[in-house]
Amino acid sequence: MTTTMITGGTVVSATGSTRADVLIDGETIAAVLAPGALPDLRPDMSIDATGKYVIPGGIDAHTHMEMPFGGTQASDTFETGTRAAAWGGTTTIIDFVVQAHGQRVQDQVALWHEKASGNSAVDYGFHQIIGEVNAESLKAIDELVGEGITSFKLFMAYPGVFLSSDGQILQAMQTAARNGSLIMMHAENGSAIDVLVQQALERGETGPYHHGVTRPWQAEQEATHRAIMLADMTGAPLYVVHVSAKQALARIAEARNLGQNVFGETCPQYLYLSLEEQLGAVSEQWGELEGAKWVCSTPLRSRAEGHQDELWKYIRTGDVTTVSTDHCPFCMKDQKVLGAGDFARIPNGMGSVEHRMDLLFQGVKDGRISKERWVDVCCTTPARMFGLYGKKGVIAPGADADIVVYDPNGHTSISVETHHMNIDYSAWEGFEIDGHVDVVLSRGRVIVDESGYVGTKSHGRFVKRELSQNLI
């Protein structure tokens, strides 16, 4: 077994920060020690973290590697996407297995295992998308819990593709309430949105800006409230993904105040970007199609309406449980351009898996959240939410040695010229971060250091998850 000692740093957890040394034995953390407590120890490797933060490896609980969408697929493979995640201090992802109409859940799980096995730089788990709720898929929900897939995503959007009726959602929630699994929800009123989209196109409003306008906050708030009520009827826990509207988060906060097991996730794009500035962007190269770079669902919200500041507030209050990325990148060339003249045909998704830890740390620097809250929403609570805590999300004896040495006095410039995701543009072009990922360890192995990425594409392992450890 190789021993590694990280010395001189400040260990930052969800509950506090302290100067400490961290001893690693093989793949796990052996001890968290007072500085200099073992002066005679001669580890195989030493990492000097003086003046830096030592934090658990990031957990991105919402990614879509190689996801099929509208005749194309997400441009990041498991190999390229997880390598980029490693560069950014994320050491575990949870990706979504996709079951669409006519597909067997078990067949899709096997396909995702085939995609990921031997091709992941970091550890990975799976959520299961249930795109067709029927007797067979409800049975699969029970079966997959035993295979370490303990969370199941449903859609209130995309009629004819993924949308489930309220009755189908009720059945899935009843199943989850019985077996203890977690229902994840894409909460938008898809039927109303489809009408708004068709009306906009008929008026000749075809640019990316109208993607946001036709998915108004009311559609997100209404669906979020409906999902909460269905969860209340069944007793199932509910995790609402990629919440972008402050009104939807207000409904989540109300349910939580009443003691309901309801949780909200947001993403960096909803904290920083906007309808006006990004979806409404125009460039010499792409014209109004420039905004296609930021087409995602739920959409970017109006800055004039104050959604971004409110979402930061809900991170501080704890009503935003986790910050994930919904990483689902598509290149402009050959992919986003499919929506030229019809925003409804633009592949939905952005690339952020490499930048989440940095973007949220900028919130620390800007005084929006504490460094402890940064670790909480990016590392610790995702582990608890999705049955990984104890092995992931914490620096403690017995945990996997997934550790990031982060320099709060460093600097990171984000650009298509410097990122490592397989995308031909950066949704974060020109962002400057007052911090830097210096060293990344995955299960005790250094995979990023001052020389760059030093990991391998086969290092990552599938992680069987327990039931959520974050419920009342």
Side-chain angles (χ1 to χ4, degrees), residues 12-305:
V12 182
S13 75
T15 55
S17 304
T18 186
R19 288 282 307 281
D21 296 340
V22 180
L23 177 63
I24 300 165
D25 186 11
E27 295 192 341
T28 61
I29 296 169
V32 180
L33 305 158
L38 296 178
D40 298 326
L41 181 69
R42 297 292 180 266
D44 299 309
M45 179 188 302
S46 295
I47 297 172
D48 183 4
T50 302
K52 301 174 185 179
Y53 296 149
V54 180
I55 66 171
I59 299 172
D60 191 342
H62 191 151
T63 68
H64 297 282
M65 306 300 176
E66 304 179 43
M67 178 179 170
F69 189 102
T72 186
Q73 71 173 23
S75 57
D76 261 325
T77 63
F78 274 90
E79 179 180 357
T80 63
T82 59
R83 184 169 62 232
W87 273 100
T90 287
T91 56
T92 305
I93 65 165
I94 310 179
D95 205 73
F96 283 87
V97 178
V98 179
Q99 180 234 10
H101 282 256
Q103 296 175 332
R104 288 186 71 251
V105 169
Q106 292 87 345
D107 292 341
Q108 295 304 105
V109 171
L111 175 60
W112 252 254
H113 275 296
E114 183 179 341
K115 290 180 180 185
S117 180
N119 292 309
S120 186
V122 300
D123 288 350
Y124 59 94
F126 293 143
H127 309 290
Q128 177 66 55
I129 289 174
I130 303 294
E132 185 176 11
V133 178
N134 54 33
E136 185 178 34
S137 59
L138 291 172
K139 182 180 178 183
I141 291 176
D142 283 325
E143 294 174 352
L144 289 182
V145 168
E147 297 178 22
I149 299 173
T150 57
S151 41
F152 301 88
K153 183 179 178 182
L154 301 172
F155 286 80
M156 301 172 113
Y158 305 119
V161 182
F162 287 124
L163 182 144
S164 294
S165 69
D166 289 353
Q168 290 171 319
I169 291 169
L170 182 78
Q171 288 178 287
M173 286 183 169
Q174 288 172 333
T175 302
R178 286 195 300 269
N179 66 24
S181 61
L182 179 66
I183 293 295
M184 309 173 76
M185 189 66 70
H186 179 128
E188 291 184 288
N189 189 317
S191 298
I193 287 169
D194 273 14
V195 172
L196 294 174
V197 168
Q198 188 57 42
Q199 290 173 343
L201 294 174
E202 289 171 356
R203 291 192 300 267
E205 297 168 352
T206 61
Y209 178 82
H210 299 285
H211 169 80
V213 173
T214 57
R215 307 183 86 93
W217 64 259
Q218 291 92 338
E220 184 180 354
Q221 181 196 39
E222 183 279 329
T224 300
H225 176 73
R226 186 158 34 104
I228 290 169
M229 291 298 98
L230 290 167
D232 193 40
M233 290 169 61
T234 60
L238 173 67
Y239 178 97
V240 185
V241 299
H242 51 52
V243 182
S244 63
K246 62 182 182 180
Q247 296 88 349
L249 263 167
R251 300 291 80 78
I252 291 169
E254 289 173 1
R256 291 172 59 80
N257 287 342
L258 293 171
Q260 194 173 344
N261 272 316
V262 174
F263 308 91
E265 166 198 274
T266 197
C267 308
Q269 54 266 34
Y270 306 124
L271 298 170
Y272 285 105
L273 309 179
S274 75
L275 170 72
E276 299 94 337
E277 296 155 309
Q278 276 73 42
L279 286 179
V282 178
S283 71
E284 183 176 344
Q285 179 180 10
W286 298 107
E288 72 171 356
L289 190 62
E290 176 76 7
K293 294 176 178 178
W294 297 280
V295 165
C296 57
S297 296
T298 55
L300 304 183
R301 297 294 177 193
S302 169
R303 192 173 300 281
E305 293 175 354

Side-chain angles (χ1 to χ4, degrees), residues 6-12 17-20 47-55 361 371 374 404-410 435-439 449-450:
I6 302 174
T7 61
T10 297
V11 174
V12 182
S17 304
T18 186
R19 288 282 307 281
I47 297 172
D48 183 4
T50 302
K52 301 174 185 179
Y53 296 149
V54 180
I55 66 171
F361 184 73
K371 61 183 180 294
W374 169 53
V404 175
V405 177
Y406 196 91
D407 184 358
N409 299 308
H436 187 266
V437 173
D438 277 9
V439 182
D449 63 16
E450 69 278 357

